[in-house]
């Protein structure tokens, strides 16, 4: 090679001589044409000409298998052996072969299969698509999150949501006029009262759920509640006695936390979260799923709600759906209790439509449903994230529709009124309904597996009992009123003869229900203490006991939030009472 040729070769960037071959997916050497290179054939690996190379590192066997070829050291005399080929596999130029004819070229690498070539290109493309979709999904998630309105109700709601526990959600429909087209509905000057109220309880094992409606005209005592103001301060709202339930929201600036507190005061059931919607929710949700199927037992032409439908089955959405759930003068006794039944039937049909394959397999409907649901809702800050709402919806979806029960708080006409316009809680039948919900008892038939498990729990109470004087028990307060552990200790020692008992303060973590832990050889003591305390088999926890202050084994009694006082039985309901009800899997024609 002449000096000019060497200068041209020296100026070439080795990286520029390796290019990607789209047919093979590999990088290949492409030498720039020059006077020294144009007629120089490249020897194939293993050919005699390749074996004639003489430059090698001292002591290295260049013919040994697996050895890398030596890279040229800087400053070597390039004219002595010809120019080295830059790149992973360097090759030096060889003299032309003596025989005339076709030049000997380098051996082409084996071609990849067609499937591999497709994977090479589509794999990279899919990676880009996934990144783009992930970014779009995240952006859309944040968009949906921006749709959801949240309200801080302080300690009235839980700080978060757990997938492993039963949960209670208060669903509130207000009569406040918001949005275009709602001028003809509700009280023109309403601040947004609790017009429609459903306490939804979802069981811990997700086998059943109960949706209990609370009449808006139920006479209740609204407890004192605290609301947060825009400037961050708290406002204490005084209690009200003998007022309609619907005034627990809106009246005197009460927020949904006040309604939650009122539900607990009336039923004894702790509400974990709330979801609130106005008239627009019915219109947008029914439109998003393509309409809801309803059935009428008779023709309806209601001048107040403007609902006009013939007897039979119909698919309704938007304004017509809202008119359907607001109609009260065309069903039953034309009162709120009969309207509640119609609303329950409507919600059951909406649940079926939302969970149907027709909805779940339609991207268009899912998109519209996500937009409508998030835009229509106001929730507490504990469930204000879209991910949390999704988790909650997935937990509810586990419940079979045949085991979602709709019922209403048992009520009677208000005895204080001559002309009955309001109702009060039925003192004879309502407590059993409230207890069933508190104790996670299904209002529908459970599977055989659950029946066997309940039987096994009940069997813990079967067997011999020890004498009260033989019981060794350590008592902890796990959520009961302050002083309950000491009160129970005094009662057991002084009234029941359980002399080997100790009060050891507060438990490590609060419990919703009272428990009794014991080892197998203490079962007779545990059964006797369960009799004295009025505990059910579900409160008994076979396992391990602990050592008392004398180092002797003792059973552990932890008083939970359900503790009602020393000597007051805590037997939990195991069977729901027989009440008027319907289930979400069946269509019932409104009468």
């Amino acid at each position: 090679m002449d000096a000019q040729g060497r200068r041209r070769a020296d100026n070439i960037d080795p990286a520029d001589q390796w290019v990607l071959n789209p047919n093979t997916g590999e990088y290949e050497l492409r030498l720039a044409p020059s006077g020294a290179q144009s007629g120089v054939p490249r020897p194939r690996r293993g050919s005699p000409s390749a074996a004639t190379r003489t430059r090698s590192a001292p002591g290295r066997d260049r013919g040994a298998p697996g050895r890398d070829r030596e890279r040229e050291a800087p400053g070597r005399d390039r004219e002595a052996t010809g120019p080295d080929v830059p790149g992973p596999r360097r090759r030096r130029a060889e003299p032309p072969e003596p025989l005339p004819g076709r030049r000997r070229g380098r051996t082409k690498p084996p071609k990849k299969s067609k499937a591999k070539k497709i994977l090479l290109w589509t794999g990279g493309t899919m990676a880009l698509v996934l990144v783009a979709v992930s970014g779009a999904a995240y952006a859309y998630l944040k968009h949906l999150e921006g749709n959801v309105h949240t309200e801080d109700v302080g300690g009235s709601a839980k700080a978060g949501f757990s997938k492993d526990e039963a949960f209670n959600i208060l669903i509130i429909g207000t009569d406040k006029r918001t949005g275009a087209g709602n001028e003809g509905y509700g009280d023109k000057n309403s601040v947004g009262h609790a017009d429609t109220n459903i306490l939804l309880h979802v069981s811990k094992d997700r086998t059943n759920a109960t949706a209990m409606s609370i009449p808006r005209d139920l006479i209740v005592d609204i407890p004192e509640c605290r609301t947060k103001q825009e400037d961050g301060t708290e406002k204490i709202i005084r209690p009200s006695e003998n007022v309609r339930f619907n005034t627990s929201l809106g009246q005197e600036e009460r927020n949904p936390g006040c309604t939650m507190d009122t539900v607990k005061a009336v039923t004894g059931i702790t509400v974990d979260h709330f979801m609130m919607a106005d008239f627009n929710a019915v219109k947008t949700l029914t439109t998003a799923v393509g309409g809801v199927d309803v059935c009428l037992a008779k023709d309806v032409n209601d001048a107040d709600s403007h609902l006009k439908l013939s007897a039979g089955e119909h698919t309704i959405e938007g304004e017509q759906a809202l008119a359907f759930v607001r109609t009260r003068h065309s069903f039953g006794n034309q009162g709120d209790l009969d309207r509640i039944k119609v609303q329950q039937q409507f919600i059951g049909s909406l649940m079926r439509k939302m969970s149907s394959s027709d909805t779940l397999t339609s991207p268009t409907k899912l998109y519209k449903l996500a937009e409508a649901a998030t835009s229509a809702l106001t929730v507490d800050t504990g469930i204000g994230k879209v991910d949390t709402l999704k988790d909650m919806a997935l937990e509810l979806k586990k419940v079979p529709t045949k085991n979602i029960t709709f019922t209403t708080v048992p009520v009677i006409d208000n005895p204080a009124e001559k002309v009955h316009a309001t109702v009060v809680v039925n003192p004879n039948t309502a407590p059993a309904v409230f207890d069933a919900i508190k104790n996670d008892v299904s209002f529908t038939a459970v599977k055989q597996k659950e029946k066997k498990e309940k039987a096994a729990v009940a069997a813990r109470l079967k067997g011999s009992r020890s004498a009260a004087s033989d019981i060794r028990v350590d008592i902890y307060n796990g959520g009961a009123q302050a002083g309950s552990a000491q009160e129970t200790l005094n009662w057991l020692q002084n009234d029941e003869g359980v002399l080997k008992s100790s009060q050891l303060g507060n438990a490590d973590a609060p419990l919703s229900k009272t428990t009794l832990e014991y080892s197998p050889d203490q079962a007779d003591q545990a059964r006797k203490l369960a009799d004295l305390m009025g505990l059910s088999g579900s409160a008994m926890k076979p396992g391990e006991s602990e050592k008392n202050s004398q180092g002797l084994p003792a059973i552990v009694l932890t008083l939970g939030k359900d503790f009602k006082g020393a000597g007051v039985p805590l037997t939990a309901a195991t069977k729901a009472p027989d009440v008027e009800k319907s289930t979400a899997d069946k269509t019932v024609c409104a009468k």
Side-chain angles (χ1 to χ4, degrees), residues 337-338 341 344 405-408 410 443 577-582:
L337 295 180
D338 289 298
K341 294 177 184 177
Q344 291 173 347
T405 303
F406 290 98
T407 189
T408 305
F443 282 78
D578 187 16
V579 295
E580 185 176 0
K581 62 188 178 183
S582 61

Side-chain angles (χ1 to χ4, degrees), residues 148 159-161 273-275 379-386 388-389 392:
V148 180
F161 172 71
H273 303 285
F274 83 87
M275 292 182 177
V379 301
D380 59 271
T381 53
I383 56 173
K385 298 290 185 183
V386 170
T388 307
L389 290 172
M392 188 175 287

Side-chain angles (χ1 to χ4, degrees), residues 240-302:
S240 297
E241 296 180 352
N242 293 318
V243 294
R244 279 180 166 87
F245 180 87
N246 68 337
T247 60
S248 64
L249 176 68
Q251 204 81 0
E252 299 183 32
E253 298 184 23
R254 293 189 178 100
N255 66 10
C258 300
T259 310
M260 296 167 73
D261 295 343
T262 303
V263 171
K264 184 175 181 180
V266 172
T267 66
I269 301 169
T270 299
V271 184
D272 302 317
H273 303 285
F274 83 87
M275 292 182 177
M276 184 169 66
D278 56 23
F279 296 135
N280 284 320
V282 175
K283 294 193 289 187
T284 55
L285 286 174
T286 54
T287 302
V289 296
V292 172
D293 300 327
V294 297
C295 179
L296 298 175
K298 60 181 182 180
D299 294 344
V300 171
N301 187 0
D302 193 289

Side-chain angles (χ1 to χ4, degrees), residues 233-384:
T233 60
E234 258 191 353
K235 178 180 179 181
I236 300 176
I237 302 175
R238 59 184 176 80
S240 297
E241 296 180 352
N242 293 318
V243 294
R244 279 180 166 87
F245 180 87
N246 68 337
T247 60
S248 64
L249 176 68
Q251 204 81 0
E252 299 183 32
E253 298 184 23
R254 293 189 178 100
N255 66 10
C258 300
T259 310
M260 296 167 73
D261 295 343
T262 303
V263 171
K264 184 175 181 180
V266 172
T267 66
I269 301 169
T270 299
V271 184
D272 302 317
H273 303 285
F274 83 87
M275 292 182 177
M276 184 169 66
D278 56 23
F279 296 135
N280 284 320
V282 175
K283 294 193 289 187
T284 55
L285 286 174
T286 54
T287 302
V289 296
V292 172
D293 300 327
V294 297
C295 179
L296 298 175
K298 60 181 182 180
D299 294 344
V300 171
N301 187 0
D302 193 289
D304 294 316
S305 68
H306 310 295
L307 178 67
K308 187 175 181 179
L309 288 174
S310 61
E313 296 182 355
H314 299 272
T315 301
I316 59 176
E317 63 179 84
E319 294 286 347
Q320 197 173 40
L322 179 59
F324 182 84
V325 298
R326 290 195 57 77
T327 297
R328 63 184 295 178
H329 298 299
S330 297
F331 301 123
N333 295 323
Q334 302 185 15
D336 192 48
L337 295 180
D338 289 298
R339 183 175 69 163
I340 284 175
K341 294 177 184 177
V342 173
Q343 290 174 344
Q344 291 173 347
Q345 294 159 16
F346 176 86
I347 293 172
S349 181
L350 179 60
M351 282 183 167
R352 292 193 297 273
K353 192 62 177 285
M354 289 172 68
S355 61
S356 68
S357 58
D358 181 53
T359 299
L360 297 178
T361 57
S362 169
T364 302
K365 286 185 178 180
L366 286 175
Y367 170 81
K368 290 181 179 179
L369 186 57
E371 290 288 342
T374 52
S375 299
L377 289 177
T378 297
V379 301
D380 59 271
T381 53
I383 56 173

Side-chain angles (χ1 to χ4, degrees), residues 35-369:
Q37 294 169 327
S38 58
V40 181
R42 299 186 188 91
R44 289 175 295 191
R45 292 189 65 179
S47 67
S49 58
T52 61
R53 296 175 183 167
T54 58
R55 286 186 176 270
S56 62
R60 173 177 282 185
D61 180 4
R62 296 182 63 86
R67 290 287 187 180
D68 293 333
R69 291 195 172 100
E70 176 198 15
R71 292 180 177 271
E72 179 183 340
R76 288 260 177 114
D77 182 5
R78 299 174 64 91
E79 289 183 281
T81 57
D84 283 349
V85 177
R89 295 177 181 172
R90 292 177 179 262
R91 300 184 181 187
R92 297 179 178 84
E94 297 293 334
E97 295 187 27
L99 295 177
R102 187 175 179 179
R103 289 188 304 169
R104 187 175 290 210
R106 64 183 176 85
T107 303
K108 293 183 179 178
K111 284 190 176 182
K112 293 183 182 292
S113 70
K114 193 171 184 179
K116 288 184 179 179
K117 282 194 282 186
I118 292 172
L119 284 175
L120 271 168
W121 289 97
T122 60
T125 305
M126 281 304 297
L128 291 174
V129 170
L130 287 173
V131 170
V133 169
S134 298
Y138 177 78
Y140 185 60
L141 187 70
K142 301 308 289 184
H143 161 71
L144 290 178
E145 222 153 75
N147 287 348
V148 180
H149 303 282
T150 60
E151 186 161 354
D152 188 350
V153 294
S156 297
K158 283 188 174 180
F161 172 71
S162 173
K163 298 180 183 179
D164 303 319
E165 298 177 354
F167 59 93
N168 300 313
I169 304 173
L170 182 62
I171 302 170
I172 306 171
T174 75
D175 58 0
K176 187 175 183 178
R177 295 181 178 186
T178 58
N182 294 323
E183 295 81 5
Y185 298 110
D187 181 0
K188 181 178 181 180
N189 301 313
S190 176
V191 292
H193 294 122
D195 192 54
T196 299
N197 310 277
I198 298 175
L199 179 62
L200 176 63
H201 169 80
V202 181
S203 68
K204 182 177 181 179
D205 60 9
R206 308 301 189 245
T207 61
N208 65 90
T210 303
M212 181 176 69
S213 293
I214 304 171
R216 67 178 188 176
D217 295 328
L218 178 68
I219 296 299
V220 298
D221 292 339
I222 300 175
E224 176 185 285
C225 65
R226 298 170 181 267
T227 62
K228 288 195 173 183
Q229 306 300 298
E230 291 183 0
D231 60 1
T233 60
E234 258 191 353
K235 178 180 179 181
I236 300 176
I237 302 175
R238 59 184 176 80
S240 297
E241 296 180 352
N242 293 318
V243 294
R244 279 180 166 87
F245 180 87
N246 68 337
T247 60
S248 64
L249 176 68
Q251 204 81 0
E252 299 183 32
E253 298 184 23
R254 293 189 178 100
N255 66 10
C258 300
T259 310
M260 296 167 73
D261 295 343
T262 303
V263 171
K264 184 175 181 180
V266 172
T267 66
I269 301 169
T270 299
V271 184
D272 302 317
H273 303 285
F274 83 87
M275 292 182 177
M276 184 169 66
D278 56 23
F279 296 135
N280 284 320
V282 175
K283 294 193 289 187
T284 55
L285 286 174
T286 54
T287 302
V289 296
V292 172
D293 300 327
V294 297
C295 179
L296 298 175
K298 60 181 182 180
D299 294 344
V300 171
N301 187 0
D302 193 289
D304 294 316
S305 68
H306 310 295
L307 178 67
K308 187 175 181 179
L309 288 174
S310 61
E313 296 182 355
H314 299 272
T315 301
I316 59 176
E317 63 179 84
E319 294 286 347
Q320 197 173 40
L322 179 59
F324 182 84
V325 298
R326 290 195 57 77
T327 297
R328 63 184 295 178
H329 298 299
S330 297
F331 301 123
N333 295 323
Q334 302 185 15
D336 192 48
L337 295 180
D338 289 298
R339 183 175 69 163
I340 284 175
K341 294 177 184 177
V342 173
Q343 290 174 344
Q344 291 173 347
Q345 294 159 16
F346 176 86
I347 293 172
S349 181
L350 179 60
M351 282 183 167
R352 292 193 297 273
K353 192 62 177 285
M354 289 172 68
S355 61
S356 68
S357 58
D358 181 53
T359 299
L360 297 178
T361 57
S362 169
T364 302
K365 286 185 178 180
L366 286 175
Y367 170 81
K368 290 181 179 179
L369 186 57

